[in-house]
Amino acid sequence: MGEARRRSEQGLKPRGKKNSSNQSPRIVSWFPVTQAQRDQFIQLSIRTGWIGIAALVVLWIVVRFIGPAAGWWVPADI
């Protein structure tokens, strides 16, 4: 027997929805993005920005120092 049928036969009111206190409110009522999702996106974009900066530094080191030292190419300013 289903929970709803059992409760109605016993004269109990329908079971309420689960507490939504752990859900973050939306930024704007018509836009389906919550404040928690916004914060996650900001953290992700900061992390990927730092990864991009690190990749650029590694690329610069390879082009400027490792490549010429290994004889792969000769820099134009030498």
Side-chain angles (χ1 to χ4, degrees):
M1 180 177 278
E3 176 72 11
R5 185 177 298 150
R6 182 186 66 80
R7 291 182 72 85
S8 67
E9 287 177 358
Q10 292 178 352
L12 300 172
K13 61 181 182 177
R15 192 171 176 188
K17 294 192 178 203
K18 291 190 175 192
N19 190 358
S20 64
S21 64
N22 62 352
Q23 290 183 345
S24 178
R26 289 183 172 188
I27 296 171
V28 182
S29 62
W30 53 268
F31 193 60
V33 175
T34 64
Q35 291 178 356
Q37 290 172 330
R38 177 197 62 194
D39 294 339
Q40 288 174 345
F41 175 74
I42 290 170
Q43 291 298 320
L44 178 68
S45 63
I46 290 171
R47 186 175 301 124
T48 54
W50 280 111
I51 291 170
I53 291 169
L56 183 64
V57 168
V58 168
L59 178 68
W60 182 79
I61 289 172
V62 167
V63 168
R64 184 71 181 139
F65 299 109
I66 297 174
W72 295 338
W73 55 79
V74 177
D77 62 349
I78 293 183

